[in-house]
Amino acid sequence: MAQNQVDLVRRFNRVVTQRIGALDDAYLSRGRSLGLSRLLWEIEPAGSEVRLLRARLGLDSATAAHKLGHQLLNFRTGTSLGR
């Protein structure tokens, strides 16, 4: 596929995800963003190494640490940070 076609599909996907609210923190009333939901989905039942998750999803260290750190805090305390 040509790069201009890839760019067009990506622009379309961004518009659709914004319009349906997939980028909101309350996506599907789950209390977490689409990005965090995707990250959690990728964790295997036996666990996953963060570096492998980062590579598979194309995340930088700071983003992965932020998302996983907040999720771990929410899990341990049973609270939502509202972020």
Side-chain angles (χ1 to χ4, degrees), residues 17-19 63 66 83:
T17 55
Q18 287 172 338
R19 295 278 169 102
T63 300
H66 176 77
R83 295 182 190 165

Side-chain angles (χ1 to χ4, degrees), residues 22 25 30-43 57 63-64 66-72 74 83:
D25 284 343
R30 303 292 282 174
R32 59 181 167 255
S33 67
L34 177 62
L36 178 56
S37 295
R38 173 71 192 283
L39 180 61
L40 295 174
W41 173 261
E42 291 290 335
I43 297 174
L57 297 173
T63 300
H66 176 77
K67 290 182 180 301
L68 290 172
H70 282 262
Q71 187 60 31
L72 181 60
N74 290 345
R83 295 182 190 165

Side-chain angles (χ1 to χ4, degrees), residues 3-24 34:
Q3 186 60 44
N4 64 336
Q5 292 173 315
V6 171
D7 293 340
L8 183 63
V9 169
R10 286 182 177 162
R11 274 196 310 273
F12 173 79
N13 287 343
R14 280 192 290 276
V15 168
V16 170
T17 55
Q18 287 172 338
R19 295 278 169 102
I20 65 172
L23 301 178
D24 297 339
L34 177 62

Side-chain angles (χ1 to χ4, degrees), residues 69-82:
H70 282 262
Q71 187 60 31
L72 181 60
L73 180 61
N74 290 345
F75 177 76
R76 285 186 175 168
T77 63
T79 61
S80 173
L81 297 176

